[in-house]
Amino acid sequence: IIAVTTEGENIFQHFGKSPQFTLFETEDSRIKSQKVIDTSDSGHSALIDVLKANSVEVLICGGIGGGAVNGLAAAGIEVVAGVSGSVKDAVIKYLSGEKLGSGQ
């Protein structure tokens, strides 16, 4: 499962203040389904718990601090940071092996 910080159709640029995540269930490098979940204005550590509870393996986001990156890594979640633009386009590019963002 791939999660993307979301505001409308675009990638939200601050992980810790992300209003929503779009979760993409994927199989064989294709999107099987997607759903948007609200974060209820949770803070950084609560957001990590939300992602863990939804079996997220990869997070695509804009900006993210070192503490959050470390917390996500400890939870076994790969972080792809420094990404902007369309949520769905970013996931399609990630699945095709294209380099995204700053590669954090």
Side-chain angles (χ1 to χ4, degrees):
I1 296 201
I2 300 171
V4 184
T5 55
T6 303
E7 183 175 49
E9 299 292 315
N10 292 311
I11 297 170
F12 188 71
Q13 291 301 301
H14 188 290
F15 168 75
K17 296 186 177 172
S18 184
Q20 298 174 319
F21 290 114
T22 303
L23 303 181
F24 292 86
E25 186 179 350
T26 63
E27 187 176 290
D28 299 325
S29 296
R30 286 199 294 265
I31 296 169
K32 273 180 55 174
S33 66
Q34 73 183 67
K35 68 178 178 179
V36 176
I37 58 170
D38 287 318
T39 63
S40 305
D41 296 320
S42 303
H44 294 83
S45 60
L47 291 176
I48 294 169
D49 290 339
V50 167
L51 296 175
K52 285 194 316 193
N54 283 280
S55 303
V56 170
E57 298 165 285
V58 177
L59 169 71
I60 297 173
C61 62
I64 187 168
V69 169
N70 292 339
L72 289 159
I77 298 172
E78 176 189 345
V79 176
V80 181
V83 184
S84 60
S86 160
V87 168
K88 193 166 189 176
D89 286 351
V91 172
I92 290 168
K93 286 178 183 176
Y94 176 85
L95 291 171
S96 73
E98 222 174 292
K99 185 174 180 341
L100 296 173
S102 59
Q104 241 182 347

